[in-house]
């Protein structure tokens, strides 16, 4: 394509935003997910400490917002420290804490509650003034369920007895899976589904993707320009959009680059990077460019579009293989091009080959 005939139409992006300054200087508080962003089970996430600590050094406030209800705040701080990330207990806001806040909307202080979960959930409920009981025979007013490795058949069945007898069922979150160093394990949502299937009652749910967890975490932090950071589109970024908070997606956890390209409008992040270094760097503006009468998306030096033939890069040609390696700016331009194509075709992308992508930063 001849560059001599190309013209820029300004920042035409309704999808991704650009920033001439590092995000950590533009936004005053980062609402950081944990699993898949700061660590992955017992495995370290590359550049997580560099990004999180670097953002703090820029003056950005950090709040660790997690759907994992098993860990008390100090346990979260200790785990982050093992991953060389500085954190404080007041900066942790878990789905357990969110569920306790949600429960206040339905029950009075001191109400008896049975827990399907671990110490982190028990502590969150006790801190909010509820009385944690040991059995369905204690006639709890609610059953609160959050992921913990100690959850077993006996605990879930005890909760079922209480729900059958009229207790409210509250889930800290509905994540189907949990990322670990070995892959994806059963998440709280899968265990909640088992109890709900047996009881015939759908639970109240806190955590992501519901916007309340972000809103309550932000009120605690006191920030005015928040940025949500997460790896999972259907929780982290659905919740961020629902809360009207811009989101940075990283590729260190659940959702892949291909998932991002195929994301529905309610899942789409505002910024893209491979990892938490995205907090420390500017993000080039996505621009619509007209070249010889055709519209392309340009990010930095990369230009990509989608037409009736497929996905085409101005320098790379067509992506017609099952997998491909692209630069970070190519990935960003591809996201804008695929999202535009999907929106123009009632959400359909099955008319083009969308490969698995490896993104180089």
């Amino acid at each position: 394509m001849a560059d001599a005939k190309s013209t820029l139409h300004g920042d035409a992006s309704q999808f991704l935003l650009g920033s001439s300054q590092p995000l950590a200087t533009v936004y005053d508080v980062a609402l950081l997910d944990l699993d898949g962003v700061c660590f992955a089970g017992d495995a370290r996430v590359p550049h997580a400490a560099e990004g999180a600590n670097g953002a703090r050094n820029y003056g950005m406030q950090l709040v660790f917002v997690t759907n994992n209800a098993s860990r008390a705040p100090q346990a979260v701080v200790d785990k982050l420290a093992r991953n060389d990330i500085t954190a404080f207990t007041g900066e942790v806001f878990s789905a357990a804490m969110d569920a306790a806040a949600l429960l206040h909307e339905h029950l009075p202080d001191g109400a008896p509650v049975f827990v399907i979960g671990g110490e982190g959930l028990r502590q969150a409920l006790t801190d909010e003034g509820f009385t944690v009981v040991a059995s369905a025979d204690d006639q709890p007013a609610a059953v609160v369920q959050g992921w913990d490795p100690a959850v077993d058949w006996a605990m879930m069945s005890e909760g079922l007895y209480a729900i059958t007898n009229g207790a409210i069922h509250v889930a800290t979150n509905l994540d189907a899976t949990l990322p670990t160093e070995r892959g994806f394990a059963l998440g709280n949502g899968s265990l909640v589904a088992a109890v709900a299937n047996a009881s015939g009652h759908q639970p109240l749910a806190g955590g992501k993707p519901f916007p309340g967890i972000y809103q309550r975490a932000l009120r605690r932090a006191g920030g005015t320009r928040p940025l949500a950071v997460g790896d999972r589109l259907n929780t982290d970024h659905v919740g961020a959009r629902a809360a009207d908070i811009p989101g940075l997606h990283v590729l260190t956890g659940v959702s892949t680059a291909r998932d991002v390209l195929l994301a529905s409008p309610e899942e789409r992040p505002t910024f893209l990077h491979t990892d938490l270094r995205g907090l420390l760097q500017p993000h080039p503006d996505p621009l619509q460019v007209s070249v010889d009468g055709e519209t392309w998306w340009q990010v930095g030096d990369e230009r990509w579009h989608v037409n009736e033939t497929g996905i085409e890069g101005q320098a790379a040609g067509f992506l017609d293989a099952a997998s491909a390696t692209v630069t970070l700016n190519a990935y960003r331009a591809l996201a804008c091009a695929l999202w535009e194509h999907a929106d123009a075709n009632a959400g359909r992308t099955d008319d083009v080959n969308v490969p698995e992508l490896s993104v180089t930063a």
Side-chain angles (χ1 to χ4, degrees):
M1 301 293 177
D3 286 344
K5 294 185 179 181
S6 68
T7 55
L8 296 178
H9 294 287
D11 186 356
S13 174
Q14 308 104 310
F15 311 122
L16 294 178
L17 294 182
S19 173
S20 61
Q21 301 297 318
L23 297 184
T25 66
V26 176
Y27 298 95
D28 64 354
V29 57
L31 304 171
L32 288 163
D33 185 48
L34 287 176
D35 290 294
V37 174
C38 295
F39 46 74
D42 291 329
R44 296 176 73 91
V45 166
H47 307 292
E50 175 187 350
N53 296 335
R56 190 186 294 278
N57 290 338
Y58 271 121
M60 192 179 211
Q61 188 174 354
L62 306 184
V63 180
F64 299 92
V65 184
T66 174
N67 266 7
N68 190 324
S70 67
R71 303 184 189 99
Q74 186 60 55
V76 172
V77 169
D78 293 343
K79 187 171 179 66
L80 287 167
R82 293 194 295 273
N83 286 271
D84 297 326
I85 296 174
T86 300
F88 305 93
T89 55
E91 295 175 333
V92 177
F93 194 83
S94 71
M97 300 159 76
D98 194 49
L102 176 63
L103 200 56
H104 267 305
E105 299 173 8
H106 299 272
L107 297 177
D109 289 352
V113 176
F114 179 79
V115 170
I116 303 175
E119 185 54 36
L121 182 52
R122 291 186 182 89
Q123 179 178 328
L125 291 163
T126 301
D127 288 347
E128 288 294 320
F130 294 105
T131 301
V132 176
V133 299
S135 167
D137 295 336
D138 297 316
Q139 298 183 321
V143 172
V144 185
Q145 184 170 0
W147 184 90
D148 188 88
V151 170
D152 59 11
W153 174 89
M155 192 182 292
M156 292 170 67
S157 295
E158 196 68 26
L160 176 62
Y161 298 144
I163 295 166
T164 303
N165 288 331
I168 300 169
H169 187 193
V170 178
T172 60
N173 70 85
L174 298 176
D175 287 355
T177 60
L178 179 71
T180 75
E181 66 279 3
R182 297 177 59 193
F184 297 113
L186 287 172
N188 192 55
S190 296
L191 304 180
V192 168
V195 175
N197 180 64
S199 72
H201 299 287
Q202 291 303 308
L204 299 172
K208 309 168 195 176
F210 303 104
I213 190 169
Y214 281 129
Q215 293 161 345
R216 285 184 276 269
L218 184 59
R219 283 198 295 270
R220 171 175 289 201
T224 59
R225 301 185 310 280
L227 177 71
V229 185
D231 64 299
R232 194 188 289 252
L233 294 174
N234 65 353
T235 55
D236 300 325
H237 293 284
V238 169
R241 278 200 173 268
D244 198 26
I245 294 172
L248 167 66
H249 181 267
V250 293
L251 293 171
T252 48
V254 173
S255 298
T256 66
R258 185 176 188 272
D259 293 333
V260 170
L261 299 189
L262 297 174
S264 60
E266 64 271 14
E267 295 178 327
R268 293 172 185 167
T270 316
F271 301 98
L272 299 177
H273 204 283
T274 54
D275 50 66
L276 283 182
R277 288 176 295 177
L279 292 172
L280 311 181
Q281 299 172 5
H283 290 243
D285 287 325
L287 303 168
Q288 282 187 312
V289 181
S290 178
V291 182
D292 291 340
E294 291 189 293
T295 299
W296 299 69
W297 281 97
Q298 177 172 328
V299 180
D301 294 332
E302 294 278 358
R303 288 180 183 172
W304 292 80
H305 71 172
V306 180
N307 58 25
E308 65 278 359
T309 309
I311 301 172
E312 183 182 11
Q314 193 171 38
F318 286 97
L319 291 184
D320 52 10
S323 62
T325 299
V326 298
T327 67
L328 179 54
N329 282 340
Y331 168 47
R332 291 163 170 159
L334 278 163
C336 290
L338 262 296
W339 295 348
E340 179 185 50
H341 178 78
D343 289 354
N345 291 275
R348 290 188 56 191
T349 54
D350 55 2
D351 57 334
V352 293
N353 173 62
V354 183
E356 296 289 346
L357 292 184
S358 175
V359 181
T360 60

